[in-house]
Every structure is written in structure tokens, then in C-alpha cells.
Amino acid sequence: MDATPPALILASTSRYRRELLQRLRLPFEVQSPHVDETPLAHEPPAALALRLARAKAAAVADQRADAVVIGSDQVADLDGVPIGKPGTHERATAQLRSMSGRSVVFQTAVCVARRSTGFERTLLAAVTVRFRTLTDAEIERYLVAEAPYDCAGSAKSEALGIALLDAIESDDPTALVGLPLIRTCALLREAGLTLP
């Protein structure tokens, strides 16, 4: 039996996911999954996150059958409506205004796949974030300071965005940043990797 562990691949271009996965101190590659992230009509946020995590892992696993591939996706859920990455200052302002004084559930899915063994499993981590009641001036100061236009929900809890919040409730704290490491570790062990 070959003692060489399989290649580990993160099917993502997200720098946040890459930084989180580095915490595990496992060698890994990064490969773009080239997946269309457009929601389906009436698709609930949790279902969207699960579908996209699977699609990302599958897109790369289909090319590298013996590798262990991680796919992940996060969708902010405000009253059952998916909220994506704002992309612009104006959209981020609108998102933060809509979330002011409310709770948002960040649905973060992770899928680990290894085609050569037939392993594929997907888990979901839901993080409830309660936003403070925000003034327009607070929103503007935050957006100018941090420009979180590539983050679902327009706030980075791991940085200055924490000041916008009243509470975070989660059993997998890194899920809010974009990769639920507790669930990822469990799936990697199931897929046959040894973690430190």
C-alpha cells in the first residue's frame, strides 16, 4: 500500500478560504472550479450553498480522481432571501441598511470528494449574526475603512466588521469567514487524510 497521502485541493479562488485552510498545516493546491453561481428560481439559501459546494468539489474532482477535493460556498440568508457579494459600494450600503437591527443566517456548506474511492459528503454550518441598529454614517465609515465588497453580507466579522454586530451564534466559528473548519476536518478524516 502506498503511504503517500493523496493530493489535497481547495476548489476555490477565495483568499479567505485559502487562509483558513492553511491553519490545518496540510499541503494543498488551489484550483478554480469554474462553476456558475447563479441561484435557481426560488432556491432557498441553504440549498444554494449546498448545491454550489457540491458543484465546486465535483468540477475539480472530475479532473483529479485520486485527489481529496474541498468545495465550499456561503450564502447570506435574510428572511429566506439569498444575499450575495455586493460588488459595489452602493450595493453594500443597501445590504447593510437592510440588515440593520436584524438577524442574518450565513449558510456555509462544505463538500469533500475523492472520486477514486467514491467518497463524497457535504455538510452545512449555519451561523446566526445579529446586526446592531446602524446609522448611515456608521455604514459609510465602515465601508470606506474596509471595502468588503467581496463578502456575502458586506461585513468582515474577522476584522472591523465585528463592530457592526451584537452577537454571533455558531458551533463552527470559522464558518462565518467562509470555511467551517470543524466540519472540514471531520470530512477530511472520513476521506482518509490524517490531520495533525
Side-chain angles (χ1 to χ4, degrees):
M1 183 172 159
D2 188 0
T4 305
L8 177 62
I9 302 174
L10 177 62
S12 175
T13 56
S14 165
R15 68 173 190 215
Y16 307 108
R17 289 189 182 101
R18 186 172 55 248
E19 289 168 2
L20 286 170
L21 190 56
Q22 287 171 341
R23 292 185 189 184
L24 301 184
R25 299 183 184 185
L26 294 170
F28 68 93
E29 303 168 38
V30 174
Q31 187 171 333
S32 175
H34 302 292
V35 168
D36 180 0
E37 298 188 23
T38 306
L40 302 175
H42 311 294
E43 186 173 28
L48 173 60
L50 287 164
R51 179 177 63 81
L52 292 177
R54 279 188 213 103
K56 290 174 182 181
V60 174
D62 288 346
Q63 299 172 31
R64 301 277 301 272
D66 196 46
V68 174
V69 180
I70 300 168
S72 185
D73 196 76
Q74 181 181 77
V75 179
D77 177 345
L78 180 61
D79 299 330
V81 177
I83 298 176
K85 299 172 186 173
T88 67
H89 185 87
E90 294 73 23
R91 289 178 58 188
T93 299
Q95 282 187 0
L96 289 173
R97 281 179 181 154
S98 71
M99 296 182 295
S100 176
R102 303 182 66 200
S103 290
V104 178
V105 179
F106 287 80
Q107 307 282 3
T108 307
V110 60
C111 178
V112 172
R114 186 176 183 195
R115 290 289 184 255
S116 64
T117 63
F119 180 84
E120 183 179 307
R121 187 150 178 246
T122 309
L123 296 174
L124 184 70
V127 180
T128 300
V129 175
R130 207 167 53 242
F131 281 81
R132 291 185 310 98
T133 299
L134 305 170
T135 66
D136 283 350
E138 288 173 318
I139 290 170
E140 183 64 18
R141 280 194 307 270
Y142 171 68
L143 293 176
V144 167
E146 199 148 69
Y149 309 130
D150 63 344
C151 297
S154 304
K156 295 181 184 180
S157 66
E158 69 276 20
L160 183 58
I162 199 75
L164 305 178
L165 310 179
D166 273 336
I168 297 172
E169 299 167 16
S170 175
D171 65 355
D172 202 337
T174 58
L176 187 54
V177 183
L179 183 65
L181 285 181
I182 293 171
R183 285 167 175 78
T184 300
C185 287
L187 293 177
L188 291 176
R189 285 190 291 267
E190 286 182 41
L193 291 184
T194 301
L195 276 71

